[in-house]
Amino acid sequence: MKHWFGALFLAAGITAAAAAQPAPFDTAAIEKAAGAKGTWIAAEGVFKVSMPRTDLSVVAEGVKLTPPMGLTSWASFRKDGGRSIVMGDVVVTEDRVAPAMDAALSGGLEVTALHNHFAGETPRVMFMHVGGMGDALRLADAVGKVFAASKGPAADAAPTNPIDPARSALDPTALDRALGVKGDYANGVYKIVVGRSARMHGETLGSAMGVNTWAAMAGTMDRASVDGDVVMKEAELQPVLKALRKAGIRVVAIHNHMTGEEPRLVFLHYWGIGPAASLAAGVRSALALTSAR
């Protein structure tokens, strides 16, 4: 019995000591840089700042969504030796994805996922996951810029002049040259597919099984649309993101299509409108950064 009580009191003492442990960085400075209030979670050595999206009025299938239901942006900081680590999740409406992503990349953060958490909601809400390592205040400043960009003014309405594949007038030869890949042009859509391979469950999978990068274009050489998917190794994701954003192409999803594959692969979906040659050049710049080419 004595041993049991002794262990209990020892555990209580350790818990109390952990709770009293001060944060290893200036939490007030992190709050100021991030523009959000934080909480010190001593048990895990983490300082977490949160930005509830009280500015949004989101309804999904008649249900009014509030910040505790998942509409809160956050970032958690932890000290690891001489450097700090940050991980976070940012709530963004569709029109603020590109500005928030640009803020993250220019601030030295990595964007590691972009997806939805709800279905049928109005307005459409996306979730962008970020991470980084380095000086805590530098990371907090980058997080603050991302938080601010996610709450910026609504983007201008999209142009109303439609692009219809039935009226496409693209130059496939010029696009072949611009992309450095031979494409197919049929039914008003010019499309390229570049395959690569991976192993999953002991089997080798290739392009026909979905392990490929592709791009589809419609419209005219003066004004076209492009949408597609880039498959890449994890280490290639950040350079590809930067290449596409530099070309003015929007990233609309970052996720996985497989589990347990070798090498680990990430899939990125994109969308853009502009001169066909410029879009093709942007796609080529991203493709060049993957080991598929």
Side-chain angles (χ1 to χ4, degrees), residues 174-224:
L175 292 178
D176 287 346
R177 287 196 301 269
L179 284 158
V181 180
K182 177 67 176 175
D184 293 319
Y185 188 34
N187 300 315
V189 175
Y190 172 87
K191 186 169 185 175
I192 65 165
V193 179
V194 179
R196 68 181 303 162
S197 63
R199 289 187 62 80
M200 186 171 69
H201 305 312
E203 299 291 335
T204 298
L205 307 178
S207 181
M209 293 293 288
V211 189
N212 61 59
T213 290
W214 60 270
M217 301 180 70
T220 66
M221 294 303 290
D222 291 332
R223 184 170 183 271

Side-chain angles (χ1 to χ4, degrees), residues 112-247:
T112 56
L114 176 64
H115 51 212
N116 59 294
H117 288 187
F118 305 108
E121 78 277 10
T122 304
R124 180 73 164 159
V125 178
M126 303 290 289
F127 293 78
M128 186 179 79
H129 296 256
V130 298
M133 299 187 74
D135 176 74
L137 290 183
R138 182 189 66 78
L139 295 173
D141 182 68
V143 167
K145 288 180 169 61
V146 175
F147 281 178
S150 73
K151 297 179 67 174
D156 294 334
T160 55
N161 45 329
I163 293 175
D164 183 350
R167 297 184 178 87
S168 286
L170 295 171
D171 181 344
T173 302
L175 292 178
D176 287 346
R177 287 196 301 269
L179 284 158
V181 180
K182 177 67 176 175
D184 293 319
Y185 188 34
N187 300 315
V189 175
Y190 172 87
K191 186 169 185 175
I192 65 165
V193 179
V194 179
R196 68 181 303 162
S197 63
R199 289 187 62 80
M200 186 171 69
H201 305 312
E203 299 291 335
T204 298
L205 307 178
S207 181
M209 293 293 288
V211 189
N212 61 59
T213 290
W214 60 270
M217 301 180 70
T220 66
M221 294 303 290
D222 291 332
R223 184 170 183 271
S225 66
V226 66
D227 69 295
D229 196 356
V230 180
V231 57
M232 72 215 95
K233 296 178 181 177
E234 287 183 327
E236 297 166 348
L237 174 58
Q238 303 310 312
V240 167
L241 284 174
K242 292 174 182 177
L244 290 174
R245 289 303 303 134
K246 182 179 180 180

Side-chain angles (χ1 to χ4, degrees), residues 23-119:
F25 28 58
D26 188 339
T27 57
I30 288 177
E31 287 181 327
K32 182 177 180 181
K37 290 297 182 181
T39 302
W40 170 240
I41 306 169
E44 297 186 39
V46 169
F47 185 65
K48 182 177 182 179
V49 297
S50 300
M51 185 182 72
R53 294 302 305 268
T54 54
D55 57 308
L56 296 178
S57 181
V58 181
V59 177
E61 297 185 351
V63 178
K64 179 176 174 57
L65 302 176
T66 61
M69 299 169 77
L71 288 181
T72 297
S73 296
W74 60 268
S76 291
F77 299 81
R78 180 178 176 181
K79 194 80 168 179
D80 179 29
R83 59 184 179 178
S84 296
I85 304 172
V86 68
M87 290 183 64
D89 194 1
V90 185
V91 182
V92 286
T93 51
E94 279 191 320
D95 62 319
R96 299 308 303 171
V97 170
M101 183 174 292
D102 290 345
L105 296 174
S106 64
L109 297 177
E110 293 187 344
V111 178
T112 56
L114 176 64
H115 51 212
N116 59 294
H117 288 187
F118 305 108

